[in-house]
Amino acid sequence: MLESGETGPSMPPVTADDLERAVRLAVDVLKDVPDDSWDRRAGSLEWTCWETVEHLADDLFAYAAQLGPRRPPQDTHVPFTWERRRPEGPVNTIFAEREAGRDGLLQVLEACGAMLSGVVRMTPPGVLAHHIFGASDAEGFAAMGIVETLVHTHDLAEGLGLVWDPPADLCSLVLHRLFPDAPADTDPWPALLWATGRAELPGRPRPTTWRWYGAPR
């Protein structure tokens, strides 16, 4: 773990290309899931796998929406209507037509990922937008989108019995950008699962609460 004041090794910025890669990898691992499997529970979440993909798409859409206005909001969310389709389900703006099946669901995910990637590319440096954990820039929102994609695909893989082992370089990028207190003495993917409350590490119990730090570096 880095001591206070240390910056750690130099890392490249998180980019829209990195986000597109994460979404593409997630879609590739989910593209053959049978249509009758999506009502399984997604790992440790209370949501079904279908709801979890909708939530992930909604996250990506919401991050794009925050950055999208000419003057992004600094103290609140862009006021889209949110709703919950069942008491235990996520609160979303984005939902997929169930009749469209798996392919339609994954199209919704890809579309929302493309929206965020496009907005990240067009947002000038220095522009900040509101997030509950503090205002962030386009790079920070790209990193948040990658974290959401990697960890929710982990939840989906647990529920669906899939193998999901995302690239170490993607995990390292977002750990460096968003989790300054993440342990540096373990592999990046287990460290990211620990930082997002999904795993234990030797000598480090699973966190019961967690957050990231999206403020510009």
Side-chain angles (χ1 to χ4, degrees), residues 6 31 57 71 86 99 103 109 125 129 132 162 171 173-174 187 191 211:
E6 292 182 346
K31 64 182 175 60
R71 295 182 179 85
R86 67 181 186 95
E99 294 78 10
D103 292 345
L109 175 57
I132 191 172
L162 303 173
C171 300
L173 273 179
V174 294
D187 290 339
R211 59 160 295 174

Side-chain angles (χ1 to χ4, degrees), residues 17-193:
D17 288 343
D18 297 318
L19 174 62
E20 288 176 345
R21 181 184 176 203
V23 174
R24 183 174 64 251
L25 290 170
V27 169
D28 284 348
V29 82
L30 297 171
K31 64 182 175 60
D32 295 322
V33 173
D35 279 331
D36 61 1
S37 298
W38 290 100
D39 287 325
R40 297 180 188 176
R41 182 170 166 175
S44 62
L45 304 181
E46 293 185 351
W47 306 329
T48 68
C49 292
W50 183 279
E51 290 170 336
T52 301
V53 176
E54 287 182 327
H55 167 79
L56 172 54
D58 191 82
D59 282 336
L60 301 175
F61 168 84
Y63 296 160
Q66 286 303 107
L67 287 168
R70 181 171 54 178
R71 295 182 179 85
Q74 300 299 301
D75 58 358
T76 190
H77 298 285
V78 175
F80 288 94
T81 298
W82 296 348
E83 66 177 78
R84 197 188 303 269
R85 293 284 175 89
R86 67 181 186 95
E88 298 81 12
V91 181
N92 289 354
T93 299
I94 300 298
F95 296 92
E97 290 183 359
R98 194 64 192 247
E99 294 78 10
R102 172 201 62 214
D103 292 345
L105 177 66
L106 297 182
Q107 276 190 338
V108 169
L109 175 57
E110 284 189 296
C112 290
M115 289 178 200
L116 179 55
S117 296
V119 172
V120 166
R121 285 194 174 94
M122 64 175 280
T123 301
V127 172
L128 301 179
H130 170 77
H131 186 274
I132 191 172
F133 291 152
S136 188
D137 59 0
E139 185 203 9
F141 278 101
M144 295 178 211
I146 293 170
V147 172
E148 299 281 6
T149 301
L150 299 184
V151 302
H152 282 313
T153 304
H154 164 78
D155 300 328
L156 290 159
E158 283 196 328
L160 295 166
L162 303 173
V163 175
W164 174 241
D165 187 20
D169 62 324
L170 273 182
C171 300
S172 293
L173 273 179
V174 294
L175 282 168
H176 182 263
R177 181 59 180 79
L178 298 177
F179 297 98
D181 295 327
D185 57 352
T186 190
D187 290 339
W189 177 226
L192 183 58
L193 290 175

Side-chain angles (χ1 to χ4, degrees), residues 193-200 204-211:
L193 290 175
W194 177 87
T196 54
R198 285 168 169 79
E200 296 182 356
R204 296 183 176 93
R206 178 174 175 167
T208 57
T209 61
W210 61 273
R211 59 160 295 174

